Each structure stands twice: as C-alpha cells, then as structure tokens.
Amino acid sequence: MNSPLTGLNPEQQQVVLSTHGPVLVLAGAGSGKTRALTHRIAYLIQQGIARPDEILAVTFTNKASAEMKHRIQGLLGSAALTPRAVSTFHSMGVKILREQTHAHGRSHGFSILDSKDSEKLVRRILKQENYSLKEWGSSAVRGMLSKIKQEYVDSPAFAEAQTPKEAMLQKVFPKYEHMLAEHDAYDFDDLLRVPLRILRANQAIREMYQLRWKFLSIDEYQDTNAIQDEIISLLLGKDRNICVVGDDYQAIYSWRGASVDHILQFEHRYPGCKTILLTQNYRSTPNVLDAANTVISQNIDQKHKTLWTTEKAGEAVQVLQLSSDRFEAEWTCSSIREYVSKGGALKDCAILYRTNAQSRLLEEQFLTHRVPYTIVGGFRFYDRKEIKDALAILSFYLSPSSRVHFERVADALLKRVGPKTIDRWEQTAKEYHISLQAYLEYMNDRPDIASIITTFQKAREQTFEKVSDLLSFLITNIGYLTMLQNLPDGKEREENVQELFNVASAYTTTEQFLEDTALLSDIDRLEDQQDRVTCMTLHASKGLEFPIIYIIGCEEGLLPHNNSLSSQSSIEEERRLLYVGMTRARKNLTITYSAYRYIGGEMTPQAASRFLEQLPEAEQAFQENTFIAHSSDVSDFLHEDPTLVVSAAGSYVQHQKFGRGVVIGTSDNNLTCVFEGHGVKSVPTNSCVEQE
C-alpha cells in the first residue's frame, strides 16, 4: 500500500496532513482538489486516525461520489476500508430519513417524487381548487412551493394574502404537503428540509450522528445553500474536525440558493481554521490560465489567487467577432468539422452558452451537416414515458399507498380508470384503514387489476438476486412489454426499457435503485466514450473539461445577462460564470460574440461583453481582423432570412417511416423536420410528400 502522500505537490500534501480541526481548502480550477481530498481521507484511515465508518464525505453529484469511493478504494487496496458514507447531500438526507422513521411522518419505504410527479400533484390540487391551469401552470407553482420550502424549514406561517399569488399559495401549499403525507412520499426539497428539522429538534439524534461521523469532508463547499450548510454545522462534533474544499471563483449557483458567503466567511465562523491554497493547475495551458486569471481579477468580493502551470505555452486564446448569431453557429460548426478532418475527435469539443435558447441554431447546423451532438440538459432518459411507467410499477410494488405511482400505472395499463375513480378507491381504502394496494386486492374484481396484484403477490413469494430480475418479472408478467410491442414505436420504447434493465442489473436493493434513478443528473449520464460534440450551458459545464472549448454569445445582455445587471454581486457572479467556462479548456479556447443577433423578430446590434475588455493584449489582438462575414457586407446580410429555413419553413410533410412532420430547415437535398414521437430528423427531400 503506497503512502497517500505519494504523487502530491507540497500544497496537496499539506491538505492531507491537516487532519484535525477546521480546514479550508481554496482549490482553483484544475488544481487536483478531488485528488487532495481523497488522499486525505485515505490517510486518515491508513494512519488509524479514523475508522472508515467515522468519516462522512459529501459531494454534489452521484458521479463525483462514485469517483471518490473508487479512488479511496484504489489507495487503500480494499473495499472494506472504504467509507460507506460518501454520498451527495440528498442521498445523505435519504439515509437519515430511512434510519429515523420514528422522527417523521413517513414509512421506511417512502417514495421520492421527482419534479414531474410533484407537478402532477400540484396540477391535481389546482383543479380541485378551481384554479385555471393556463393562468397558474403546474410547473411554475411547483417552483414557488420549492422556493417556500428552501426558505422555511418549518411550515411557513402565512400572513394575510395581499396578492392573488399569495392567496393561491396559502391554499395549495398545505394541501400539497398533506398529499405528500397521504402518498407516503417526499419531494426533493424534503430530502434536506426534513433531516434538518430532525437534527434541530432532537438532541439525541444529533449527538448520535456527531459520534458516528467524527471527520467531515465537504466538496464544492461554495455551492452549499443555507439548509445544507446548517445540516453540516449540526453534524459537526465538539472536536470540529471538518475539511471544506471549494473555490469562490466558481460560485455560480446563487439562483438555486447557494451562497458564496459560506466559503468567504468560513475562517470567521471557525476560529483557528487552517487555510490552504491550491493554485497549481494540471488542466489548462498558460494561455488559457492567463486569460482566465485576468477576467476574474476584476471581481472585488473574492479570495484572490492566481492559477499557474508548468505546462508549455499553447495556442493563443481567440476572441472572435462574427456577423450574426446565425453565422456564429455556422462558423462554430465549420471550425469543429475542420478540426475533425485533421484527425481530431468530436468528443474533444464542447460549446458553452449562457442560455438554453442559444443551442437552437447550433442544432440546426449539426443536423444539416450530420454532426453527432449531445445537448446536456435535453430530454432525459428517465423522463421518457416508458421509463417512468416502469419505475412507477416498481415503486407501487414497493410502496402500497403511493397514489402518485398508481395513477401512472393505471394510466398505462387500466382502461377507464381516471383520477375520480382512483379518488373513490383511495377514500374507501382510508375508511378501512388499509393501503390502496390492499383495497385493490380484496375489494376489486377487475381482471386487469387482478393481474397486477397477482404479479405482485408472486413476486413477494420469490427471491430475486438483482433488481433487474424483479423489475423484468413485474414488467413482463403485468403485460407492460406486450402493450409496448403493439405501439407504432414499440420497438424503440422496448429497447429503452431493456436499457433500464441493464441499469438495474447493478443493484441488489430496490430502494437504492429507485433513490439513485431519482437523484441522477444530466452530468452523471454524460458518457465520455461517445464521439459527439457536447453542447451545454455555462452552468452545466462546471466540473467538466474538454480539449477544445467554444464559448459563444459573449455579449452584453447575454453575459452578463440582462437579469443580472441590477447589482454588483450579480455582475460578479456572471463574471465567475465566464471564468468557469474558460477554465474548462485544456488546450484551445475560443470566445465568440455577434455583431447582430436575431431578437424579437429583428436583427439587433450587439455589443461585446464588458468582461472581454480586460483580456490580455495577446488575446485582444485577435479581435482586430476577425469580423467574419459572408461575401456580402452586414447591410446586405440583414436582408437575408435570419433563420436556417429558406423555402419550406412551416410546411407539413408525410414521411413513410416517421409519419407527419413539420419542416424546420432545408439543406441541399435534405429536409430537417420535427416528427411527432420521433423528434428532429434529417431526411432526403424526395422521401417526403408535402401536405396541406
């Protein structure tokens, strides 16, 4: 077993050797913070300072926690020595809730509702209260409820309503909470809010966890919100053995409740704190770092540090002004195709932007030129209907009182069973003090329901080695796969369900499988081996790295965004956002902005972002002769149709395989169309018949 100090630079070694008391590690982008943190945990165990079960390490994504476990196991050479409590904040919350069922109002097998399931509850309540769904969208109201939960750990004491919105929330919030309790479920906000409530109120439980977890490690500390930070403070024992790692330069999530003040004020809150700076960068070239350092140095409310590297100088950072947003997309696509033609890989390239709407023109270019791409934040695998149906069947099997999951099962498999019918059944079940599933078993003689209950009974009589075996048994015997096979796109949907079986084959515990699928994020599913261009927002790029980075739309109104111009702190966060994007680049960084952008139906003049003004002269020089346009000048260009479609936009066509679709783009002998049930496809023009 090698020493955990092997291969670390002096500052990283200092992190490892600082084992007791509060420790603040300010780790710059690409400085090996995860390496330092995992080696520190391995050192604590190897030296006998802490047992594996005395360590709690919290990260923000499942991917990060899995990587941390893998690295620690590799250092220690044994899975038995690896701490089990390496998890995300939400997974830690679930663990506390599962262990402390006597301290809250749910069973051990409570369900976790994702945002879509939560919206379904909200929609039902809005209908019951006679609110217009057009006026009060379920998604928007769900967001309002989430904000209330983040602000109020305990139930909010509503003042007298002054606006229609406040009056609506006063009615909907308590009903929403009541429905969650009835369905034996929690939403994502509850996974942190309820554990905090338990830790606040129950000293015995609080002290139990303090004695269990004597050494706390928190990754990405700059991203913690008030609830997360208080949970950590309550779990911290009297010895104050806490190590937080983060970078205030990368604090970009205030919009979801994160506070950069947690890391900026850590030394004040924990007197005697040891602060260590990690500034040696192992990712980027000096050119990229010089540009990024210059941009972020303009912020005032930061703990300033300068990143450096021993790497040789690489290509200069390019800052390009392009004639329009459309040509910006064309140029970016062309640049990537040229890179690939010289032997590069598509997966080396990532395009970052401030808003999701900016991806549209890029997607049109990629579709036109048949360039494979991935939109991080696009349609999720776990949001597909057949996947949600399969997970609902498994969840209802596990949680017999889950109305939300039975509604989805009924919608997929039962005819003439709507909310009113389920209301009646649920009410009868409550009168008999039994679960909804028990009512269906003993008091309903419908053959289709009997098939579901019989399948559940047979499953409970067996032992399944893997969750995939149980899931396959339920899905097959209930008849869901047969139902899929009868659909026009059944083969594709069945393949998706088979992929879900592949995921479930790695699990032996049903609860863990459902927790992980509920907590998965888009970044967790980004597969490195796929040879395709990656497109994502700057916010989504945090924690990733690529050889080639393009940051597009670096203009006033986009970066900084118009919504962030009201305060200096908001503008500084926007500057940090650009810094995060810049430091994703390993070798080549290109920043573009458009002279004109199509906004509100008009070509509108744009100004370069104020953040570009401070770039070093070596980078600024690239702006002088890079106003790249078509052969015509801008005045001529403005008379062109500003969208990709030049002739058949909006036309309806019929395709033999994909059915009816609407044309959104044309190129040479191809049409780019949106087909219902199949999404965007590029097809030969002669394969379609135009319709009225």
Side-chain angles (χ1 to χ4, degrees), residues 636-676:
D636 290 333
F637 180 81
L638 292 180
H639 293 291
E640 297 178 8
D641 185 347
T643 67
L644 182 66
V645 180
V646 295
S647 61
S651 300
Y652 287 96
V653 295
Q654 184 73 24
H655 188 272
Q656 184 176 3
K657 179 178 179 181
F658 302 124
R660 184 176 171 84
V662 61
V663 177
I664 63 171
T666 63
S667 175
D668 298 327
N669 296 318
N670 289 314
L671 295 178
T672 301
C673 308
V674 178
F675 294 101
E676 185 176 354

Side-chain angles (χ1 to χ4, degrees), residues 105-152:
R106 305 289 190 275
S107 71
H108 180 272
F110 66 83
S111 298
I112 301 171
L113 302 191
D114 63 15
S115 59
K116 295 296 182 183
D117 288 329
S118 297
E119 285 176 26
K120 197 170 184 179
L121 287 186
V122 171
R123 191 180 304 115
R124 186 172 164 218
I125 296 169
L126 291 171
K127 286 182 178 179
Q128 289 177 349
E129 296 297 322
N130 297 316
Y131 282 104
S132 168
L133 293 179
K134 292 183 178 180
E135 182 180 0
W136 303 101
S138 57
S139 177
V141 174
R142 170 67 187 92
M144 296 175 198
L145 298 180
S146 178
K147 187 174 182 180
I148 291 173
K149 287 193 172 191
Q150 291 175 24
E151 292 179 359
Y152 298 94

Side-chain angles (χ1 to χ4, degrees), residues 438-462:
Y439 167 77
L440 296 175
E441 178 180 356
Y442 294 113
M443 300 184 184
N444 201 297
D445 56 359
R446 287 182 52 139
D448 48 1
I449 292 179
S451 175
I452 295 174
I453 298 302
T454 299
T455 299
F456 284 3
Q457 291 172 337
K458 289 180 179 178
R460 291 190 174 102
E461 294 170 358
Q462 301 181 47

Side-chain angles (χ1 to χ4, degrees), residues 425-440:
W425 291 348
E426 187 179 42
Q427 186 58 40
T428 305
K430 290 176 182 177
E431 291 173 359
Y432 283 90
H433 302 290
I434 58 176
S435 70
L436 179 57
Q437 199 175 120
Y439 167 77
L440 296 175

